[in-house]
Amino acid sequence: MDHFLFSLNATMPVFLVMVLGWFLMQIKLFNQNFLSVADKYVFKVALPVLLFRDIATTNLREGFQLNFVLFCMAATTIMFLGIWGLASLFIKDKSMVGAFTQAAARGSAAVLGIAFVENIYGNSGMAPLMIVSAVPLFNIYSVIILTFCSQDNKAENRKENIKKAFFNVLKNPIIIGIALGVPFSLFHVHLPVILSKTIANVAGTATPIALLVVGANFEGGRAIAKLKPTLAASLIKLLAIPAVFFPLAVLMGFRGSELVAILVMLGSPTTVTCYIMARNMGNDAELSSSIVVMATLLSSVTLTFWIFLLKTMSFI
C-alpha cells in the first residue's frame, strides 16, 4: 500500500496540473500566443537550467560503476533505435513516427529519478549516475529522430539530413545544459549563493509551466482520433520496455537502488519534454501530448506493479 500511495503521490499531481492547464485554456485565460511563448521558454531556458542544476549539484564520482553506466547507455540505445525501427515499419502515417518513437522511449528519468530512489532508500543511490548515463542519450537520440522525421524537413538528400541532425544535437539547449553541468559536478564547483538561488528559481519554473502548456494544448477529439498509437506507446513505455530489460539487469547482478534507478530510466511515464521538443522541431505535438497524459495516468499503476514485483522477488 505504501508503494502504491507513493506512486499515486508522484504521478497524480503531475496529471492534475495538466488538467488545470486544459481548464485555463477552456475559460480563455490562456491563448495560443501565450502557449507558443511559454513552450519556447521552457525548451530554451527553463529545462536546460533545470538539467544543469541537477547535474552540477550531483557528485558523479561517488559510487561510479562502469558496468552500470554501460548498461544504461546500451539499454537506452537499443530502446530508441529498436522502437524507431518498429515504428517506421508498422505506423502507416509517417508523420507520427518521430513523436511516437520519442514518447515511447523517453521517460521522466531526470525529473523523477532522484526523488523516486530517495523515497525508497533515503538517499539518491545510483540515480545521479543513471541520469548522466542515460539522459544525454535520451536527448541526442530524440534530436536525431525528430530531425529525420520532422514534418518541416524537406531535404531529400540523406547527407543533408545527417548534417542537420548533427547541428541540431550541438545546438540543442537541453544537451547544452547537461554538458555544462558535468564539469561542475566532476570538479565540485560551488556556485555563489545568489547565483545558485537564481538558477534554482528558474529551474523551478520548468516542470509546472511545461505541464500547463501540455494540458492547455490537449484536444480531446484529436486525441481520441489517435487513441491507438497513444495507448500503444504508453504500454511500450510502461510495460514492454521494463519487461525486456529487467531480466538482463538482474542477470548482470544489479540490485537495490541500482534496479530502482533502472526502473525509473525504463518504466517512468513519458516526460513532458517530449511534447516541448516535438512541438519545437516540427513533429506531431498532439500525439506527444496525448501520450504524456495517458502514460502519466497509467504509471501510478504500472510503477506500483514493478516495485511490488521487484520487492516480492527480493531484488530491491
Side-chain angles (χ1 to χ4, degrees):
M1 181 59 72
D2 289 341
H3 294 316
F4 175 74
L5 290 175
F6 166 72
S7 297
L8 209 59
N9 288 334
T11 55
M12 286 309 295
V14 172
F15 180 74
L16 291 175
V17 174
M18 289 190 285
V19 172
L20 176 62
W22 176 84
F23 175 74
L24 294 176
M25 189 67 175
Q26 301 309 303
I27 64 173
K28 311 298 183 184
L29 191 60
F30 286 174
N31 58 36
Q32 284 300 330
N33 182 59
F34 168 79
L35 298 181
S36 177
V37 173
D39 74 39
K40 287 180 181 177
Y41 162 75
V42 171
F43 179 63
K44 295 183 178 181
V45 179
L47 276 173
V49 171
L50 172 66
L51 289 168
F52 167 80
R53 184 203 62 181
D54 287 347
I55 299 300
T57 56
T58 296
N59 187 351
L60 297 179
R61 293 183 179 182
E62 189 176 275
F64 182 84
Q65 292 184 25
L66 181 60
N67 62 338
F68 180 80
V69 170
L70 292 176
F71 176 85
C72 291
M73 295 176 71
T76 299
T77 301
I78 295 169
M79 180 170 63
F80 270 89
L81 298 185
I83 294 173
W84 189 13
L86 291 173
S88 300
L89 284 175
F90 292 107
I91 295 180
K92 294 180 180 179
D93 185 351
K94 301 306 177 186
S95 67
M96 293 185 183
V97 170
F100 180 94
T101 301
Q102 184 193 204
R106 184 176 184 176
S108 304
V111 177
L112 291 181
I114 293 176
F116 205 89
V117 179
E118 282 184 342
N119 187 79
I120 297 175
Y121 289 99
N123 58 67
S124 59
M126 299 299 286
L129 195 58
M130 176 275 292
I131 290 171
V132 174
S133 304
V135 172
L137 291 179
F138 280 11
N139 287 279
I140 290 170
Y141 290 138
S142 292
V143 170
I144 292 171
I145 291 167
L146 293 176
T147 298
F148 276 89
C149 299
S150 172
Q151 297 167 27
D152 301 331
N153 187 5
K154 299 179 180 179
E156 299 294 332
N157 192 307
R158 190 172 187 82
K159 290 183 178 179
E160 286 298 316
N161 285 338
I162 295 172
K163 182 179 178 181
K164 185 175 180 181
F166 175 76
F167 283 109
N168 279 343
V169 167
L170 290 182
K171 67 183 183 181
N172 182 270
I174 296 173
I175 295 174
I176 292 172
I178 294 171
L180 291 176
V182 171
F184 280 79
S185 174
L186 292 177
F187 298 107
H188 304 293
V189 178
H190 296 287
L191 296 172
V193 174
I194 293 175
L195 185 57
S196 178
K197 288 187 175 181
T198 301
I199 289 173
N201 287 334
V202 175
T205 66
T207 301
I209 292 178
L211 293 173
L212 287 171
V213 171
V214 170
N217 277 294
F218 183 76
E219 297 184 33
R222 294 184 179 182
I224 291 173
K226 298 179 179 180
L227 183 60
K228 286 185 178 179
T230 295
L231 189 58
S234 299
L235 294 178
I236 289 170
K237 181 74 202 74
L238 301 174
L239 292 176
I241 291 174
V244 170
F245 287 102
F246 268 147
L248 296 175
V250 171
L251 286 174
M252 289 184 67
F254 297 125
R255 298 291 187 273
S257 65
E258 298 166 345
L259 272 182
V260 176
I262 290 170
L263 168 61
V264 175
M265 181 183 79
L266 299 174
S268 59
T270 302
T271 176
V272 67
T273 311
C274 288
Y275 167 80
I276 299 296
M277 286 187 65
R279 184 178 175 88
N280 279 272
M281 295 186 66
N283 280 257
D284 195 331
E286 291 169 359
L287 178 60
S288 299
S289 173
S290 298
I291 296 171
V292 169
V293 173
M294 176 73 76
T296 300
L297 188 60
L298 294 178
S299 64
S300 61
V301 176
T302 58
L303 283 174
T304 304
F305 164 75
W306 288 119
I307 291 171
F308 176 77
L309 182 64
L310 293 174
K311 192 77 173 176
T312 301
M313 300 178 74
S314 300
F315 290 139
I316 62 174

